[in-house]
Amino acid sequence: MTRLLLHACCAPCSLEPVRLLEEEGFEPTICWTNPNIQPADEHDRRLEELRRWCAATGTPLIEAEEDTSCWERSVAPIGARQRERRCRACYALRLAEACRVAECEGFGAIATTLAVSPYQLFDTCNDVLERLARAHGLTPVIRDFRPWYPEATRRSRELGMYRQNYCGCRFSAAEAALDRARLRDERKAGR
Ligand code: SF4
């Protein structure tokens, strides 16, 4: 079995990647490092849900370092208008920390639960993971978990998990609120 460090953005997005990676013969340990999540009580709520699920299922969890001031310096100034650049920098900050931990703790492979969400920038995220993993001597395990997103949604609801409705940063909270308003308007207009 290959020990794999699985960067996790939240508990609901961990469900299917852990199951699928185990089916492939990996032995996943979850790694939490998400200094992008705002505000602080939202961050703590997502982490607490992940802790609960890991404890209940016996999935090992490493809580890595989180440098929120680095996120504010290196990601936030990119702002709302350049989403690809902003998310690339955000993925890089989180996955660099996960790769650092993986290398220090002797893992052979690394992956991320971000690959289950159709709302993430899949190719950008994989590109970042691939580069960072290689730089740390790790095997990047690039998988498209997106077809299992509906199943992750179903299972997380069934388990009564907390499910957030935006990615994490304040920009994504505003973007998601705008999207919901647009969809409401379209429904009202019968489009
Ligand atoms: S939308 Fe998500 S990935 Fe992109 S910068 Fe915000 S928190 Fe990071």
Side-chain angles (χ1 to χ4, degrees), residues 13-60:
C13 285
S14 302
L15 295 173
E16 288 300 288
V18 165
R19 183 182 69 77
L20 292 160
L21 289 165
E22 283 178 346
E23 272 179 21
E24 269 195 63
F26 289 105
E27 191 185 329
T29 289
I30 299 268
C31 177
W32 170 271
T33 171
N34 297 295
N36 55 312
I37 299 172
Q38 303 164 337
D41 57 354
E42 173 71 22
H43 168 278
D44 295 350
R45 193 171 182 190
R46 294 188 200 184
L47 173 56
E48 197 44 51
E49 192 65 281
L50 185 65
R51 282 181 185 143
R52 252 199 302 275
W53 179 72
C54 285
T57 56
T59 308

Side-chain angles (χ1 to χ4, degrees), residues 35-38 46 71 75-76 79 82-91 94 114 119-121 166-173 175:
N36 55 312
I37 299 172
Q38 303 164 337
R46 294 188 200 184
W71 192 92
V75 183
Q82 300 182 72
R83 184 176 171 208
E84 201 276 342
R85 257 191 76 207
R86 188 187 77 219
C87 295
R88 179 178 285 276
C90 184
Y91 298 146
R94 293 187 277 165
L114 293 164
Y119 302 106
Q120 298 297 329
L121 304 182
Y166 65 100
C167 181
C169 66
R170 54 189 176 276
F171 304 107
S172 64
E175 287 157 1

